[in-house]
Amino acid sequence: MTIKIETPALGAFLFGILSCKCPISEENEQRLFTKYQQSRGTTEVDFSPFLEISKQNIQRTPIDNLFDFCSYAADDPASFNITGNDVLRYLGSGYHYKMVLAANPDIETTNPGLLFSHILTPVRLSLQGNKPCVLYEDPQCTIQFNSVIIPDELLHTDGFYGHHMGVIISRLTDEQAKMVFDHQALIDGLSAVKKSIKEIDFKKIRPYGNHFDSVVKRFNRNSQHFETTSL
């Protein structure tokens, strides 16, 4: 099996794992990041060792799900490359939205903020008064995210970022942001979900409570790999 993944795409996906309550042990999480650290500075890396780490987890992990998502679209499921756009589509399209709905059938009405946070969205860094914040904006609505973690290697003032569950996981080109917006325009129910939200604070999000502190602890466990900023 010859599966490659773009190294920045791998980093974005692993940051996404840290942002979520994914069923992965602390030991396997650290093994994933140690392996990722060895690949930094390269353009692509073999994905198979990350799959092997995932297979040692008691429960299925997002690494396995990403492999399935990309292999289904490949002519040869044993030989393909995973790109940054693949990761964005996995986390930001109706595929991921439906995964969240399947696990929480009434979440669209009972906890729209959590649902919207669970899919990757294009955001910008902005100022509300003198306070920096993270904003999602489209013609229908504006949603402000508070208590958001940004890995310092991604920090930049202009352009789009990919946001997932209180973490900026990647920078986005304008073309990538458009791609995500276009995919999300196809999601039934998402428009109503967005219109019901004004602000989401990850220090007090149901049912997790202070999700921000929990994610900070996960980043700190891997602090040998990166530094972070929070807004």
Side-chain angles (χ1 to χ4, degrees), residues 30-194:
Q30 291 179 332
R31 292 176 68 205
L32 287 171
F33 274 93
T34 297
K35 191 68 181 175
Y36 166 61
Q37 175 69 8
Q38 295 168 2
S39 70
R40 293 175 75 183
T42 64
T43 56
E44 66 176 18
V45 63
D46 185 1
F47 192 59
S48 297
F50 297 90
L51 276 173
E52 291 171 7
I53 293 170
S54 180
K55 297 299 183 187
Q56 295 176 35
N57 204 62
I58 294 175
Q59 293 177 275
R60 183 179 178 85
T61 79
I63 294 286
D64 300 297
N65 294 336
L66 178 65
F67 170 79
D68 286 350
F69 177 80
C70 295
S71 66
Y72 296 157
D75 292 339
D76 182 353
S79 180
F80 59 90
N81 290 350
I82 301 172
T83 69
N85 283 4
D86 290 327
V87 168
L88 298 179
R89 283 191 300 271
Y90 171 85
L91 289 171
S93 71
Y95 178 87
H96 197 63
Y97 190 89
K98 290 175 182 177
M99 286 178 64
V100 179
L101 279 184
N104 308 272
D106 60 350
I107 195 172
E108 285 180 309
T109 54
T110 62
N111 201 344
L114 183 64
L115 172 59
F116 189 66
S117 299
H118 258 297
I119 60 171
L120 178 137
T121 48
V123 298
R124 294 183 187 270
L125 304 189
S126 185
L127 287 175
Q128 293 290 76
N130 292 322
K131 182 181 178 183
C133 67
V134 175
L135 288 183
Y136 169 90
E137 296 178 289
D138 69 16
Q140 297 177 317
C141 66
T142 297
I143 299 172
Q144 179 174 326
F145 293 106
N146 297 323
S147 308
V148 174
I149 297 166
I150 308 176
D152 283 359
E153 64 191 63
L154 301 178
L155 191 58
H156 196 272
T157 54
D158 299 323
F160 285 102
Y161 292 85
H163 169 267
H164 182 267
M165 281 300 298
V167 176
I168 297 297
I169 70 167
S170 66
R171 286 201 292 265
L172 305 180
T173 65
D174 289 350
E175 292 76 17
Q176 287 174 323
K178 182 180 183 303
M179 178 187 73
V180 176
F181 280 127
D182 287 347
H183 273 277
Q184 292 177 357
L186 300 177
I187 301 176
D188 290 338
L190 181 58
S191 179
V193 165
K194 291 189 296 186

